[in-house]
Amino acid sequence: MHPMAKLKEKLAGILEAIPAGSNIYYVDYPLHNNGGDMLIMKGTEKFFKDYGIRILARYNLFDFPEDLKPAPGSIFVLHGGGNFGDLYVHHQEIREQVVKRFPDHRVVVMPQTIYFSREANYDRSAAIFNAHPDLHLFVRDQAGYELAKRKFNRCRVYLSPDMAHQLWPILPNTKVEKDRLYFLRTDIEAGDQPYAADLDPRDCRDWDSLFTHAESRVTHHLTRFCRLDKKLGGSLPTRLFWYKYTDYLLGKAVKLFGSYREIHTSRLHGHILACLMDKPHVLIDNSYGKNSQYYRTWTCGFSKARLVQETPDEPIPVGS
């Protein structure tokens, strides 16, 4: 079995917390220009569809209702990713809000990387989660999982791959025309990338440069519509448009990756997308070790991927 097929199979362990056929609310689906979160969202939705999980409603950061009265026996499922902690406070706040407001409903946090810059912030959040009687937390890497078991000592804590693996396989339909793509972080998680200044800018991308200014503005306007829709009671088809639009945006990423022989990336989901496409690639660590921790936990068995924590000078042989 291909290593990526095995990781997809491991995601079935989530059914322990969200049984097939459950009724759920999917909370904090991404409405921003981060293709990694879009891949997670698509994988999550496919997981729900594959296991007959019924979605009663979907909410993003901007339209979560203040007066929601959930159906009896329903489960709150919180979007996974790499924003659990104190770097992305608004996403952490909506998670904690759900945990506090709905003690009579199971809450499931889909696979996350956990990072707090301050121990006190971790302890404060853990106290909120530990107060909930039926909380299930999935963690994406071994080190984070071991710490989370100690911190969230009254919750059920699991180790799980990222939800994007549910999309395996992604088959590119683009002819390989170029040698090496550098898909590198340019945000607060970028870390030390001293070689980036010496690269040909035509072969360098991040999510914010893959998507044009006009495409990014569409996302910005959609967030405004979501805020308006919240006031109108949910009558606008914003989510339907966004889901179709993300198909288009991710199609650009697949086309770009498919046009290169190999990828060098400091984006975790640059790595995961290359894995899903069965592409040779190099993974460079981010600022706090998220990428290396994920690689060592899940993807080190994929022969076409190589982890480096310094300048990646040597190409990967095709087919290695």
Side-chain angles (χ1 to χ4, degrees), residues 10 111 137-146 157-161 297-298:
K10 282 184 178 295
L137 172 62
F138 289 84
V139 184
R140 295 191 304 192
D141 63 88
Q142 186 70 45
Y145 167 71
E146 296 298 336
V157 181
Y158 312 78
L159 183 64
S160 173
T297 303
W298 300 113

Side-chain angles (χ1 to χ4, degrees), residues 262-275:
E262 68 178 42
I263 315 296
H264 286 235
T265 183
S266 55
R267 282 280 181 187
L268 177 59
H269 282 85
H271 166 57
I272 291 176
L273 179 57
C275 288

